[in-house]
Amino acid sequence: MEYPDGSPTELRVGKDKPSAGLSVSRPPASFEFWRAILSVLQQTPNCLYWPGGGPVIAQTFVRNHLPATMIEKLGEPILIATPEQIIEAIKKVDGQN
């Protein structure tokens, strides 16, 4: 996958059950990519997290389905509604805020 800004991205989706998993290697700077990730979060019971950060969720009920150990290690999930909120959460971890 390649975005208009030239960012190459590798996207892997699990094959088991609906939303078995999603992995992104080298996420692009493209705003459209983050809009697509938000759409996935809004339509599936998943969370998004990354090294040192997250989780973010787009549906409140998802929090109740996250493993307690995940919340202990990554912190309380942040409810997001826009791509900008995802980008800001990532920037906070990267120290870009």
Side-chain angles (χ1 to χ4, degrees):
M1 194 182 319
E2 192 166 311
Y3 282 85
D5 65 359
S7 302
T9 300
E10 190 173 309
L11 182 66
R12 296 185 180 138
V13 180
K15 295 179 183 175
D16 301 333
K17 301 180 185 175
S19 73
L22 172 73
S23 173
V24 178
S25 177
R26 299 176 304 184
S30 171
F31 184 78
E32 291 306 312
F33 172 79
W34 296 110
R35 186 186 318 263
I37 292 296
L38 175 63
S39 179
V40 169
L41 292 174
Q42 290 171 329
Q43 296 177 49
T44 64
N46 288 297
C47 71
L48 175 68
Y49 63 95
W50 50 92
V56 297
I57 58 175
Q59 303 177 79
T60 55
F61 80 91
V62 172
R63 193 251 181 249
N64 297 330
H65 298 280
L66 297 178
T69 54
M70 174 185 270
I71 295 172
E72 288 171 15
K73 293 183 186 226
L74 299 177
E76 193 61 38
I78 299 167
L79 184 63
I80 50 100
T82 67
E84 293 89 352
Q85 290 174 308
I86 298 172
I87 295 166
E88 285 305 309
I90 293 169
K91 285 181 178 180
K92 285 181 184 177
V93 171
D94 288 344
Q96 298 177 24
N97 196 13

